[in-house]
Amino acid sequence: MPPVEAKDVVKRFGSREALRGVSLKAAAGELVAVIGPNGAGKTTLLSILAGIAKPDEGQVNSDGGAVGWIPQQAALYRRLTVEENLLLFARLEGHPNPRASVEEMLGLTGLAERRGEIVARLSGGNQQRINIAIGLLSRPAVLLLDEPSVGLDPRQRARLWEFVSGLAGRGTTVIFSTHDIQEAERYGGRVLVLADGESLFDGSAGELREAVRREAPEDADRDFETAFVAYLRHRGH
Amino acid sequence: MRGVRWLLLKDLQILRRSPLQAVLLVAYPILIAVLVGFAISRGPEDPRVAFLNEVPQNTRIDVGGQELPKANVREQICERVECVFVHSREEARAKVESGDVLAALILPADLVDKINSLSTLTPGVPEVEVLVNEENAVKAELVDDRITSLLAQANLRIARRIGSEGSRYLGLIVDGGQFHVLGETIPILGLRASARILQAVLPALPRSLRPALEEVNEFASQARDNLDVAKPLIDRLAQPIEVDKVVVGGASPPLEIFAIAVAATLTLAFVVVLLVAGSLALEREENAFPRLTRGLVSGGGLLAEKVLLGIAVGLAVTLLMLFGMRIFVPLELGRVWLWLLAILFAGAALAAAGAALGAAAREVRAVSLLAFMVTLPIAFLSLVPSGAVSPAVFDAIRYLTALFPFKPGLEAITAALDAAGPGLGGPLLHLTILAVAYAAIARLALRRFATV
Ligand SMILES: Nc1ncnc2c1ncn2[C@@H]1O[C@H](COP(=O)(O)OP(=O)(O)OP(=O)(O)O)[C@@H](O)[C@H]1O
Ligand SMILES: [Mg+2]
């Protein structure tokens, strides 16, 4: 049984269908990128996988291991310091040695020397670093990251992906959403394309390039992002 | 429940981190409490009083054979209160019970006769009857004040007359003389004469002892009898007219206690409702809610944490306030366990209500406004005395305020502060029911509004 699996998931908000029968299966150690235009349903899919939202139809299974979740909107206490935030969540996670995991995360985010600062006074990117660090505190079997690299500088991005790839290398299933096609290609072993709640493509990055070339040959020689946009247009999105 | 401890610590850190908010949270309710205390102790301007005069027309007050100028009771009274003239005791009682009037003043038919009897040897007790509904301490105090001042004036006039009568009887005892009673004339020896006789008989004491002693004996018994008659008369001097106050409904503690209870309950209500609603909404505002409820802490655990936070902070602030009030008003320290009990129960119910508000909101600001908009009117409605509004409106207010923990909280804290008035049991039960009900609503609201 795969660590996480979604089958024909439908999610409606009133009359709007945010997901119209999306399926996704990810194996242990797999890195899956979810891409698609704004409002495609990426966040909705990830929060259903995280168990925060309930699907209206279809099924979601995860094989018991905890599912870690890093939300698109930073989920932390802006009136607490960096360290207080990390310590609170490490304690809530029930870490045997919460202080040690706090130190590890401070090292990863490079915010060790700003540990005593109130989060509200940090830049948006630095707040996002802590948001990610809190999500990484639990060592789940499945890690869901919703646009994790937004707001991060290139060096911090590289650090993030290094860490996340390391986790995947040790067997963690990682599913992340992004608007950065290059990032999806580079880190996503598999790519899922969503548009208007529909699953347009599910396969490797190489296969996606193939599909794009087939769908939009006239734009195939342009850069991949432009070609991808043409591909979406051809598919009616 | 392990998480509850850390969340509680976190909320206290946040509270400490926001000194302005913390100060506002505490200072604002105390300010309101003090203002309300002032407003309450002033009372409304012209209370409505039902007035029934059963004294036959043209009866005059006659003391010691001298008629007093016609006492224009009606004018005197109706100058100070808004008089509602009624025609029977039943009507007066009904008006008090329904709360249409604050009190009823009844001048019984024999009032003037009894006043006239004051200067005789068989003084009656002139009484005026006052019917009040003491469900509310403000009202009770108000009525007491008015009646006391009215009676003091009437009593003063009568007392002056009776005073001179009384001294006439005392003079008789001291100096001796003729005493007229029931058509007969009795000679009174008087203390002076007795002394003189005793002096005269002293030298011849052994032999002629008997008749002299008899005379002295007689005087002694007469004097005792006379003094017995004079005593109630002199007693009446202090307060010629007695008030026969009939409490038609309710009982209430002294006004200062009630004002302090109002201030304490207001403080508790604002601190607890705002804090619990605000800190619950903060979880949503900071997007932390889904992160927490994904296995870190259950929805019930989160609610329990907020309720605990509310009770702890509310208890601290309210106790501090009560101890501060002790500087001005003596509060029985022996009852401090009852204070704790009342504050705990009221705090729990208010916290649950705050949680129900907070569970339905996404923003701290919105929910703070909402908490104010709910708590303030409920608090003021809870203080409306019957008689200030029409009976139908008053009933509506009573049902409405019973749904929110302010009124039972006020009743519990009042009962805890002072033994007068109704007991603590009823309000505590009421608060328990409200706490459970609001906790259930909060739980539902959290499920309904928090999941996507
Ligand atoms: N709570 C909600 N209530 C109503 N509609 C919602 C809600 N959440 C999402 N939607 C709708 O569902 C659709 C999918 O939204 P979702 O947030 O999943 O998109 P997304 O792919 O993550 O977009 P973005 O790239 O902008 O983050 C959108 O049309 C959105 O308006
Ligand atoms: Mg999104």
Side-chain angles (χ1 to χ4, degrees):
Chain A
M1 189 175 154
V4 67
E5 183 178 16
K7 241 194 245 164
D8 304 321
V9 167
V10 174
K11 178 71 183 175
R12 296 183 197 93
F13 294 108
S15 61
R16 170 175 291 132
E17 280 193 304
L19 293 175
R20 328 172 178 218
V22 174
S23 299
L24 170 70
K25 204 186 281 185
E30 204 173 4
L31 269 154
V32 181
V34 181
I35 59 174
N38 291 135
K42 304 181 292 295
T43 298
T44 307
L45 178 63
L46 289 186
S47 49
I48 286 175
L49 292 176
I52 288 155
K54 300 263 171 292
D56 293 312
E57 284 169 36
Q59 277 136 29
V60 178
N61 300 307
S62 60
D63 68 351
V67 178
W69 176 60
I70 295 170
Q72 184 171 2
Q73 289 179 315
L76 34 75
Y77 297 102
R78 279 168 296 172
R79 269 172 250 183
L80 296 185
T81 65
V82 173
E83 191 176 7
E84 284 165 350
N85 265 292
L86 290 170
L87 191 58
L88 167 68
F89 283 101
R91 281 167 166 167
L92 289 175
E93 295 280 2
H95 274 258
N97 186 351
R99 295 210 176 260
S101 15
V102 169
E103 293 308 320
E104 187 193 7
M105 285 306 141
L106 285 173
L108 173 73
T109 53
L111 288 172
E113 69 278 22
R114 306 190 70 171
R115 64 200 311 155
E117 271 183 56
I118 305 284
V119 169
R121 291 188 205 132
L122 297 182
S123 69
N126 281 335
Q127 292 188 21
Q128 173 64 353
R129 291 196 212 178
I130 301 157
N131 182 41
I132 294 169
I134 291 172
L136 297 178
L137 271 171
S138 64
R139 288 300 165 79
V142 179
L143 185 61
L144 308 168
L145 303 99
D146 199 354
E147 301 193 28
S149 53
V150 169
L152 298 186
D153 62 41
R155 182 161 138 236
Q156 199 54 33
R157 263 180 211 222
R159 267 190 177 169
L160 168 70
W161 288 117
E162 191 189 325
F163 187 84
V164 169
S165 307
L167 289 179
R170 276 171 271 139
T172 305
T173 306
V174 178
I175 302 176
F176 66 96
S177 73
T178 181
H179 282 295
D180 187 332
I181 309 288
Q182 276 192 344
E183 195 173 67
E185 243 196 328
R186 191 179 304 163
Y187 301 107
R190 250 176 66 211
V191 180
L192 176 73
V193 179
L194 288 184
D196 288 333
E198 278 177 72
S199 173
L200 295 189
F201 176 88
D202 183 359
S204 71
E207 286 164 352
L208 177 62
R209 275 187 179 265
E210 271 308 306
V212 167
R213 192 186 305 279
R214 265 202 317 275
E215 258 330 297
E218 69 282 0
D219 290 300
D221 296 331
R222 318 266 290 268
D223 64 292
F224 187 46
E225 192 160 328
T226 314
F228 181 68
V229 171
Y231 163 82
L232 288 175
R233 197 172 54 237
H234 276 254
R235 302 290 299 258
H237 297 286
Chain B
M1 284 295 122
R2 157 183 53 94
V4 169
R5 174 163 51 126
W6 301 123
L7 284 177
L8 207 54
L9 176 72
K10 178 267 297 179
D11 279 333
L12 291 174
Q13 278 173 331
I14 290 180
L15 204 60
R16 194 198 60 196
R17 200 59 52 69
S18 339
L20 184 68
Q21 242 164 306
V23 164
L24 274 183
L25 204 62
V26 174
Y28 195 79
I30 288 184
L31 184 75
I32 290 190
V34 168
L35 287 179
V36 166
F38 265 115
I40 269 180
S41 51
R42 292 285 303 278
E45 286 310 301
D46 258 359
R48 282 158 65 83
V49 169
F51 185 77
L52 175 63
N53 190 355
E54 292 182 331
V55 178
Q57 287 216 322
N58 297 323
T59 321
R60 313 264 329 239
I61 292 178
D62 179 316
V63 180
Q66 235 186 307
E67 280 197 347
L68 282 185
K70 197 174 174 193
N72 211 339
V73 189
R74 193 176 135 153
E75 254 173 36
Q76 296 237 334
I77 290 174
C78 300
E79 188 173 277
R80 290 175 183 78
V81 295
E82 189 192 334
C83 283
V84 179
F85 296 100
V86 293
H87 301 98
S88 69
R89 284 167 181 264
E90 291 67 44
E91 198 185 344
R93 175 174 280 266
K95 282 213 182 299
V96 174
E97 270 172 345
S98 73
D100 189 22
V101 294
L102 278 174
L105 180 64
I106 300 173
L107 307 185
D110 60 356
L111 176 69
V112 171
D113 292 340
K114 282 197 171 154
I115 291 175
N116 290 342
S117 78
L118 287 175
S119 57
T120 69
L121 279 179
T122 50
V125 180
E127 281 181 343
V128 296
E129 281 174 56
V130 176
L131 305 182
V132 289
N133 186 343
E134 288 198 340
E135 60 179 1
N136 178 307
V138 179
K139 247 168 69 171
E141 180 94 356
L142 193 68
V143 172
D144 273 351
D145 276 356
R146 306 279 170 167
I147 292 167
T148 312
S149 75
L150 283 176
L151 282 182
Q153 293 193 348
N155 282 342
L156 196 67
R157 290 172 149 218
I158 299 167
R160 279 200 201 112
R161 288 288 169 178
I162 301 168
S164 61
E165 289 299 302
S167 60
R168 198 161 67 81
Y169 290 118
L170 287 176
L172 209 57
I173 293 162
V174 176
D175 300 323
Q178 303 287 313
F179 177 55
H180 310 280
V181 65
L182 303 170
E184 278 182 74
T185 300
I186 304 168
I188 302 280
L189 182 63
L191 277 170
R192 278 190 224 284
S194 310
R196 236 182 7 248
I197 291 168
L198 274 176
Q199 251 170 3
V201 296
L202 260 177
L205 198 61
R207 222 164 325 130
S208 55
L209 185 69
R210 196 162 274 267
L213 268 184
E214 259 170 2
E215 221 171 347
V216 173
N217 253 352
E218 205 180 334
F219 164 69
S221 63
Q222 278 174 343
R224 197 181 54 236
D225 289 350
N226 277 311
L227 281 171
D228 277 354
V229 176
K231 193 177 176 297
L233 187 63
I234 291 163
D235 281 349
R236 294 260 65 80
L237 287 178
Q239 196 188 16
I241 301 180
E242 223 164 58
V243 180
D244 178 20
K245 188 166 93 173
V246 180
V247 177
V248 173
S252 61
L255 185 61
E256 312 92 77
I257 299 287
F258 182 71
I260 289 174
V262 170
T265 314
L266 266 181
T267 307
L268 185 68
F270 276 109
V271 168
V272 172
V273 173
L274 277 176
L275 187 63
V276 172
S279 76
L280 197 55
L282 185 72
E283 303 291 357
R284 308 270 292 280
E285 195 173 281
E286 302 276 45
N287 300 314
F289 184 78
R291 187 165 248 174
L292 290 177
T293 46
R294 288 186 59 252
L296 297 185
V297 58
S298 67
L302 188 65
L303 282 179
E305 185 263 328
K306 299 303 174 203
V307 169
L308 279 179
L309 175 76
I311 294 178
V313 176
L315 191 69
V317 173
T318 311
L319 276 183
L320 212 69
M321 205 199 116
L322 284 177
F323 277 97
M325 286 287 192
R326 286 191 64 241
I327 301 169
F328 308 106
V329 179
L331 293 173
E332 277 179 64
L333 264 196
R335 301 179 69 85
V336 85
W337 294 110
L338 296 178
W339 302 4
L340 280 177
L341 205 63
I343 297 174
L344 273 179
F345 275 71
L350 287 162
L357 276 181
R362 264 171 211 288
E363 288 164 47
V364 177
R365 252 188 244 200
V367 83
S368 302
L369 191 67
L370 190 66
F372 260 107
M373 282 164 52
V374 171
T375 311
L376 205 60
I378 295 275
F380 281 115
L381 284 182
S382 303
L383 298 174
V384 170
S386 67
V389 292
S390 77
V393 173
F394 186 71
D395 272 345
I397 288 177
R398 212 164 45 199
Y399 290 124
L400 186 70
T401 51
L403 295 176
F404 193 78
F406 185 88
K407 184 119 186 240
L410 175 62
E411 286 164 0
I413 290 177
T414 311
L417 288 177
D418 197 273
L424 193 56
L428 291 191
L429 182 68
H430 191 164
L431 287 169
T432 309
I433 293 169
L434 287 181
V436 170
Y438 276 110
I441 293 173
R443 194 77 193 81
L444 273 179
L446 217 51
R447 281 216 195 104
R448 169 67 188 79
F449 293 104
T451 52
V452 183

Short mmCIF file of all heavy atoms in Angstrom, two decimals, chain A residues 43 72 146-147, ligand 2:
data_model
loop_
_atom_site.label_atom_id
_atom_site.label_comp_id
_atom_site.label_asym_id
_atom_site.label_seq_id
_atom_site.Cartn_x
_atom_site.Cartn_y
_atom_site.Cartn_z
N THR A 43 -3.84 23.77 -3.63
CA THR A 43 -3.97 23.88 -2.18
C THR A 43 -5.09 22.97 -1.68
O THR A 43 -4.95 22.29 -0.66
CB THR A 43 -4.24 25.34 -1.78
OG1 THR A 43 -3.13 26.12 -2.19
CG2 THR A 43 -4.44 25.48 -0.28
N GLN A 72 0.46 26.97 2.66
CA GLN A 72 0.86 28.09 1.80
C GLN A 72 0.92 29.37 2.62
O GLN A 72 1.84 30.17 2.48
CB GLN A 72 -0.15 28.21 0.67
CG GLN A 72 0.18 29.28 -0.35
CD GLN A 72 -0.75 29.21 -1.56
OE1 GLN A 72 -1.67 28.40 -1.63
NE2 GLN A 72 -0.50 30.06 -2.53
N ASP A 146 3.06 23.27 0.44
CA ASP A 146 2.26 24.08 -0.47
C ASP A 146 3.04 25.35 -0.81
O ASP A 146 3.16 26.25 0.02
CB ASP A 146 0.92 24.42 0.20
CG ASP A 146 -0.13 24.85 -0.81
OD1 ASP A 146 0.21 24.99 -2.00
OD2 ASP A 146 -1.29 25.03 -0.40
N GLU A 147 3.58 25.37 -2.04
CA GLU A 147 4.40 26.49 -2.52
C GLU A 147 5.44 26.89 -1.48
O GLU A 147 5.48 28.05 -1.05
CB GLU A 147 3.52 27.69 -2.89
CG GLU A 147 2.52 27.30 -3.98
CD GLU A 147 1.83 28.49 -4.60
OE1 GLU A 147 2.44 29.58 -4.62
OE2 GLU A 147 0.69 28.33 -5.08
MG MG C 2 -2.64 27.42 -3.39
#
